[in-house]
Amino acid sequence: MSQAQSSNSNFPETDFTLLEDSEDADNHTSDTTATRLALQFQVDETYLGQRIDQVAAIIWSEFSREKLKQWIKDGNLLVNGQSVKPKYKCEGFETLTLNVELEAQTRSLPEDIPLDIIYEDEDILVVNKPVGMVVHPGAGNTSGTLVNALLHHYPKSAELARAGLVHRIDKDTSGLLVVAKNLEAQFALSKQLEKKSVYRVYDLIVYGNIIAGGTVDEPIKRHPVDRVKMAVLPGGKDAVTHYNVKERFQHFTRVQARLETGRTHQIRVHFSYIGFGLVGDQVYMPRVRMPAGASQLLEDTLRGFKRQALHAATLGLKHPRTKEEMTFNAPWPEDFTNLVEVLRSENKAY
């Protein structure tokens, strides 16, 4: 791990009290005591006239609106020390107090799956996700996911939404993810992502020759016909990808891309949009583009590369507790390294 400079990010404007702190990182497989949480927030004129359940959902976005509404009804979320109804409208400068015992936020089961841990302390965990591992359980992927592994490694992550994950990468993308180990860290990291101060750099291999670096600033939304795909379309969410050329080959380019936003399939969509699809991308580049004169080794390598050539190589953030600027790096996985070496050898032969 090395230190690096990144943008400033403010800690969430919420007073936290963890009445039962998370257990020590070196002894995290046996303590299942629930955490009691006390949060307080001073409403300002920004929220004037808004319903209290809407305001709470904005302030404490890691909880669902339905969960917050239920806490309001149960008297766990008070306004100026008094119980109110979810439809109560803020008059300005009220004090919201949330006092709850956290319960399991996930139904997923813990599984003893090895994790490649780059860094861990009492607040955060940085992991290097392997190719082929799904991040969140879903239809057809109820086990073997990163969430299942996290629940085994650190059982109290069950109390956190998405087991403490604040961002994600695709199943067949390898590389770095940061995981929060308590609510305080989760709020802080979520705020950094919202303010675009988390530094995320990816290495990728694309078809074609990119002449110079640049920026793709194009909105992304779900494809209107193929629901598996995302696409650059008017009315989509803002999406910005900065990129630099790192190495040129005869028919390919190794690129480094930095995310300013984090939309689904963002890098894959943006590079496909500008005409430089990722090697191995089964969704956006379903056919292998075999260059003329390719050696048998290159042909075999390209046909055997069955996932997008994309690796989350560098992650920079501000530590939620110490405010220290931290940068983490993960080496290329074996298949990515092999692809680069084959392309280099092809260049020499050419």
Side-chain angles (χ1 to χ4, degrees):
M1 182 188 72
S2 60
Q3 304 304 311
Q5 205 68 26
S6 69
S7 303
N8 289 331
S9 175
N10 294 327
F11 197 78
E13 297 172 357
T14 305
D15 292 327
F16 284 84
T17 304
L18 293 175
L19 303 181
E20 176 72 36
D21 250 339
S22 300
E23 67 259 40
D24 186 88
D26 292 328
N27 184 28
H28 52 247
T29 57
S30 59
D31 185 2
T32 57
T33 305
T35 299
R36 287 199 59 84
L37 181 72
L39 307 180
Q40 194 170 80
F41 184 83
Q42 184 75 46
V43 176
D44 59 27
E45 63 274 8
T46 305
Y47 304 101
L48 184 66
Q50 294 188 44
R51 286 173 52 126
I52 189 63
D53 56 343
Q54 296 173 330
V55 173
I58 295 170
I59 298 167
W60 296 309
S61 59
E62 293 308 315
F63 300 114
S64 70
R65 184 171 169 183
E66 286 305 310
K67 174 66 68 178
L68 290 161
K69 186 182 291 187
Q70 189 59 53
W71 284 337
I72 294 170
K73 291 177 180 178
D74 293 343
N76 297 112
L77 202 168
L78 304 176
V79 178
N80 292 333
Q82 303 294 319
S83 292
V84 298
K85 294 182 178 180
K87 63 182 180 181
Y88 169 90
K89 292 188 177 180
C90 290
E91 299 172 356
F93 305 102
E94 292 98 331
T95 298
L96 308 188
T97 304
L98 177 63
N99 198 314
V100 293
E101 181 176 290
L102 296 181
E103 56 192 45
Q105 300 292 307
T106 176
R107 295 181 180 179
S108 300
L109 298 175
E111 295 180 34
D112 188 2
I113 302 171
L115 289 171
D116 182 4
I117 297 173
I118 303 296
Y119 174 83
E120 182 174 16
D121 61 25
E122 62 182 327
D123 297 300
I124 64 172
L125 175 72
V126 178
V127 298
N128 181 19
K129 187 191 81 67
V131 174
M133 175 181 274
V134 174
V135 173
H136 298 288
N141 292 295
T142 57
S143 65
T145 72
L146 181 57
V147 165
N148 297 112
L150 290 171
L151 291 171
H152 180 272
H153 176 76
Y154 185 66
K156 296 200 92 170
S157 62
E159 297 175 348
L160 304 174
R162 300 174 298 280
L165 284 158
V166 293
H167 63 127
R168 61 184 295 172
I169 56 179
D170 297 331
K171 172 186 175 182
D172 289 326
T173 298
S174 56
L176 296 170
L177 286 164
V178 62
V179 185
K181 294 178 68 176
N182 52 59
L183 259 181
E184 187 174 31
Q186 193 170 32
F187 279 119
L189 292 171
S190 295
K191 284 289 185 181
Q192 289 183 50
L193 283 162
E194 288 172 14
K195 295 184 177 184
K196 303 176 182 178
S197 62
V198 174
Y199 185 73
R200 291 169 290 171
V201 176
Y202 291 72
D203 289 332
L204 55 147
I205 307 292
V206 300
Y207 286 103
N209 297 125
I210 299 179
I211 303 303
T215 296
V216 185
D217 185 352
E218 297 289 348
I220 291 176
K221 65 188 297 186
R222 184 70 59 183
H223 194 285
V225 178
D226 188 343
R227 306 304 289 175
V228 173
K229 290 185 176 182
M230 306 298 288
V232 168
L233 290 168
K237 293 182 178 179
D238 291 343
V240 181
T241 305
H242 307 283
Y243 64 92
N244 289 298
V245 172
K246 303 304 291 184
E247 193 171 4
R248 294 186 182 89
F249 307 106
Q250 188 182 355
H251 300 286
F252 304 86
T253 309
R254 180 166 69 86
V255 183
Q256 208 166 64
R258 179 174 64 83
L259 291 181
E260 187 173 312
T261 55
R263 308 304 177 200
T264 301
H265 298 178
Q266 179 172 319
I267 290 174
R268 299 162 66 188
V269 172
H270 272 172
F271 278 88
S272 177
Y273 175 76
I274 63 175
F276 298 97
L278 273 67
V279 170
D281 195 328
Q282 303 293 301
V283 176
Y284 298 97
M285 289 290 295
R287 293 182 180 179
V288 176
R289 286 169 46 184
M290 198 63 65
S295 69
Q296 189 61 52
L297 175 60
L298 179 58
E299 284 194 25
D300 292 344
T301 302
L302 291 175
R303 295 190 194 284
F305 205 94
K306 300 294 188 181
R307 60 102 176 182
Q308 61 270 8
L310 183 61
H311 175 67
T314 303
L315 177 67
L317 54 89
K318 179 180 286 187
H319 192 280
R321 185 185 299 270
T322 67
K323 308 299 188 291
E324 177 186 8
E325 302 283 357
M326 308 181 79
T327 300
F328 307 96
N329 296 286
W332 295 339
E334 183 177 355
D335 64 344
F336 194 100
T337 300
N338 181 64
L339 175 61
V340 172
E341 289 176 349
V342 169
L343 291 174
R344 287 172 178 166
S345 68
E346 195 80 357
N347 256 25
K348 290 179 181 178
Y350 177 76

